Amino acid sequence: AATVATAPVTAYAFGQVSWVAPFVNLLAVPLGSVVATPVAIGFVLVAPWGRWCESLLGILLEASLGCLESVAQQVAALPGTVLRVSQPTGTQIGLYYLAIALVVVTWKRRWPWYGAAIAWVCLGATVAATSWQRHHRGELWVDMPYLGQSEAVILQLPEGGTVLVDAGGHENPDAPDPGRKVLAPWFRRAGITSIDLAIVTHPHPDHLRGFGYLAEQFPIKELWWTGLGAELPEQQQLLRAVQRHGGRIRLAQELPEKVVREGVVFEVVHPRPQTGEDGESFYPELSGNDNSLVTRISFGERSLLLAGDIESTAEAQLASRLVPSDILKVPHHGSRTSSSEALLEAVRPQLALIACGEANRFGFPNTEVLARYRERGIVVLRTDREGQLSARTAGKRWQVSTWRGTEFVVP
């Protein structure tokens, strides 16, 4: 009864429900209520009075909570135990509880069950309509979630396809994983079960590490990368996961000049070494940042440029090949070594999006860089101040919004 009653809440908060939870609770609830909770209370009470008591109870508490976590993880790892669902709407939640209430009433009083059946049919219809809408929205959606001092861009294509450009990460492998903690719940709430295209701009931890968890949970159908960092464990893990799920792996150099997906045009403009340059798929003389995979994306009359972490050297090399774009994903989190005059003159964006962490130790975005954007009249939005940044277009204009409530139109 508790599982049935809380299912919509669980689906809303986590994007998933588990049909085996009641059976697991037969073990987990006694372990938590009889062992973990009393030990936790005891730990709090004795902590001020004695080190050895505190240490002993701490060991018991860690062991009991470890058992709880192990039970949950082992069961969750079994195939089919968790059902991924999209985040339900208020209407769907209301219909669910109405259907449950009608089932209870008709069961107790032996009334006809027509009302409950109608409620269940309406609920199924709204779920189907939501799924249809996601796959036939006819718009390009671009979202940049706040991932601290790391970066990821999510594109939802007009017919429901999903593209992920980078997946965040942290230079400290023991730090919280944004792929697991932020992006995976984001995908589950949106009803996304697989990634149609993943792009690794360059193999630095703040762009790559989040893929480790995501690639296992959301099969990647196609992966683009530069070939740089093939020796890194994180990159090898990602490549193996893509291959294990039957996905396709392509180097940027091998791609045609334009790739069209659901009416959206992807142009990989860098790095594109010419054939015969020692067979490299990137430029050995350039740094990892300057070898970032740069992609221009356009839909109808609107466009954006995802510039990875390129710096002034690559920007100068690219300037003559770039064309104006409405939105620029600011390279290298607004570093002083990027966003040169050459880049801004070539792209001429109306809006600039910066992924950076609040009070980050690098001082990103740099004040001189911000001044360059300001002098050109370019609107700048930052994840550290605005939270998630979002842009939508049907091909005519961009509708821009932020988590903090900022809204405007880029014509």
Side-chain angles (χ1 to χ4, degrees):
T3 300
V4 171
T6 58
V9 180
T10 305
Y12 187 90
F14 304 106
Q16 63 184 48
V17 292
S18 175
W19 65 271
V20 300
F23 308 102
V24 178
N25 282 339
L26 293 175
L27 173 62
V29 170
L31 181 60
S33 59
V34 177
V35 181
T37 301
V39 172
I41 294 172
F43 179 80
V44 173
L45 292 176
V46 305
W49 307 108
R51 290 187 175 181
W52 69 269
C53 255
E54 179 187 2
S55 298
L56 176 60
L57 287 176
I59 293 171
L60 293 174
L61 180 58
E62 183 177 10
S64 59
L65 293 177
C67 288
L68 277 173
E69 184 177 13
S70 177
V71 168
Q73 288 181 343
Q74 293 296 325
V75 175
L78 297 174
T81 57
V82 174
L83 306 176
R84 312 293 187 192
V85 295
S86 58
Q87 189 175 54
T89 65
T91 300
Q92 291 167 353
I93 292 174
L95 284 170
Y96 178 88
Y97 284 122
L98 174 62
I100 294 296
L102 289 173
V103 166
V104 172
V105 170
T106 56
W107 185 281
K108 291 282 188 180
R109 303 192 179 186
R110 303 185 184 280
W111 290 352
W113 47 267
Y114 306 132
I118 292 172
W120 285 120
V121 170
C122 290
L123 175 60
T126 60
V127 171
T130 301
S131 177
W132 186 91
Q133 184 179 22
R134 189 177 83 79
H135 287 86
H136 300 83
R137 64 169 62 95
E139 293 182 329
L140 171 64
W141 291 15
V142 181
D143 292 285
M144 181 186 287
Y146 177 66
L147 302 179
Q149 188 54 37
S150 66
E151 181 179 305
V153 178
I154 304 166
L155 294 93
Q156 296 183 77
L157 304 185
E159 297 174 15
T162 301
V163 178
L164 176 63
V165 183
D166 291 330
H170 198 281
E171 58 187 354
N172 178 5
D174 296 324
D177 176 13
R180 177 190 294 267
K181 299 294 185 181
V182 180
L183 296 178
W186 197 103
F187 286 151
R188 287 165 184 155
R189 285 194 297 270
I192 295 169
T193 57
S194 63
I195 299 171
D196 295 278
L197 172 63
I199 299 176
V200 179
T201 60
H202 62 299
H204 287 173
D206 57 329
H207 293 253
L208 175 62
R209 276 207 170 120
F211 276 115
Y213 178 80
L214 287 176
E216 297 295 342
Q217 298 294 315
F218 303 87
I220 295 173
K221 299 177 182 178
E222 187 167 331
L223 174 72
W224 295 356
W225 70 312
T226 63
L228 194 66
E231 74 286 353
L232 297 175
E234 296 90 346
Q235 185 69 61
Q236 293 174 359
Q237 179 187 8
L238 172 58
L239 296 176
R240 286 195 300 268
V242 174
Q243 292 172 332
R244 186 164 56 253
H245 290 292
R248 183 182 185 188
I249 299 172
R250 306 176 74 180
L251 291 170
Q253 186 187 26
E254 301 170 348
L255 296 168
E257 289 187 5
K258 294 184 178 182
V259 176
V260 181
R261 286 175 170 264
E262 301 179 24
V264 179
V265 180
F266 293 79
E267 301 174 70
V268 176
V269 296
H270 178 81
R272 300 298 293 259
Q274 298 299 312
T275 304
E277 292 185 11
D278 300 323
E280 297 285 0
S281 57
F282 53 89
Y283 297 100
E285 69 275 12
L286 296 182
S287 68
N289 282 338
D290 274 332
N291 267 302
S292 292
L293 196 154
V294 178
T295 310
R296 185 177 188 270
I297 299 167
S298 56
F299 181 56
E301 301 172 9
R302 303 276 63 91
S303 59
L304 70 151
L305 184 72
L306 303 180
D309 274 1
I310 59 171
E311 299 178 296
S312 56
T313 302
E315 291 175 0
Q317 180 179 325
L318 270 172
S320 62
R321 293 186 281 127
L322 291 174
V323 296
S325 297
D326 310 314
I327 300 176
L328 171 65
K329 196 290 297 178
V330 173
H332 203 190
H333 316 279
S335 164
R336 180 178 57 83
T337 58
S338 302
S339 296
S340 62
E341 293 287 354
L343 177 71
L344 298 186
E345 179 61 29
V347 180
R348 301 180 187 178
Q350 299 179 61
L351 173 64
L353 308 179
I354 302 178
C356 56
E358 187 177 9
N360 65 84
R361 65 186 179 91
F362 304 102
F364 294 158
N366 180 265
T367 54
E368 296 177 12
V369 168
L370 292 176
R372 283 201 287 273
Y373 283 96
R374 189 165 52 248
E375 289 166 2
R376 290 175 173 269
I378 302 168
V379 177
V380 175
L381 295 178
R382 305 161 43 171
T383 58
D384 63 333
R385 293 187 176 180
E386 295 286 348
Q388 176 170 300
L389 311 178
S390 303
R392 311 281 188 264
T393 183
K396 293 293 185 181
R397 60 181 60 84
W398 289 103
Q399 299 283 344
V400 180
S401 62
T402 72
W403 180 82
R404 288 198 180 275
T406 303
E407 294 186 5
F408 59 92
V409 175
V410 178

